[in-house]
Amino acid sequence: MSYLQKQVDAFKTGLTSSSSKISNKRTTATTAQHASPTPAAPSSSPEKPNELKRKRPEPSNVVYSQPADTGTGRNLMTQVTYATEYLKTKEAPQTLAQIASYLSLKTPESKQSIATILKRHERVEYVRDGTSTHWSAGTYRFRPLHNIRTGTELLAFLQSQPTAQGLPVRELKEGWTGAEEAIDLLESKHQILVTRNKKDNHPRMVWANDPSLAQHVDAEFQSLWFKVTLPAKEDLPREMEKLGLKPTSADPSSMVAAAPKEKQKKQKKPRKGGRTTNTHMAGILRDYSSTK
């Protein structure tokens, strides 16, 4: 075989391999084009433009600047405050287990810390349980400003006062839930004097009273008494003079207001004396101060 024939055969072989590669590429591209795309799931309803916007959260009435009053607190002194308020509502002494149950205390360490502080608290009265020295023994009771919890104790306290100073009811209501009922009962027996608020008629101040001084007044006399009308304050002196009574104060209408005095302006006095520096001209200069 000649050299030329070898070149022709090599060219044909290369041409055949190139054509097979091109046909394979065309087949792959055609298959990809004719592949059916996956249809998208049809939407149930067309979306409106307003629904595409981001929805704002609904406003809540929670005040984030103030802590929620859940009845218990994680802080130790907060729990002590809740414990004293709890004891204030209980007239009977409470055990540490009852206080821990109210505060939802679970660990022995937290219970022991509360017990240690309450035993030294100025508004809490701690009562030991016999000879037991365990930290959980004993009872706790709120110590009010006045240790008064019954009507008898209230009468004894008022009668022992050296002065006639009244006692505020708000101080009695600390640690004594039945204070108002006991005050109403003692007032009906004329054993105490009570002043009340005009708005809600709740007692405000109490004083000791002598029941023997209480006198019954007929309703008819009370009606006649309240029917008598008093003259006005400015007419009272004249009405008393008509009846031949001497008023303790002068008639306001007869009093003439004094005219206000005019303030006189103070005139500046001429300056006298002073240091004389021109003594060498005493025979020449004259004094003209009197002509001012």
Side-chain angles (χ1 to χ4, degrees), residues 17 24 103 138 156 171 193:
S17 61
N24 291 336
L103 298 177
E171 296 180 0
L193 298 174

Side-chain angles (χ1 to χ4, degrees), residues 255-272:
M255 298 177 63
V256 179
K261 296 181 178 179
E262 295 183 0
K263 294 183 179 180
Q264 296 180 356
K265 296 183 179 179
K266 295 182 178 180
Q267 296 181 356
K268 188 176 181 181
K269 297 180 179 180
R271 184 178 179 181
K272 295 182 180 180

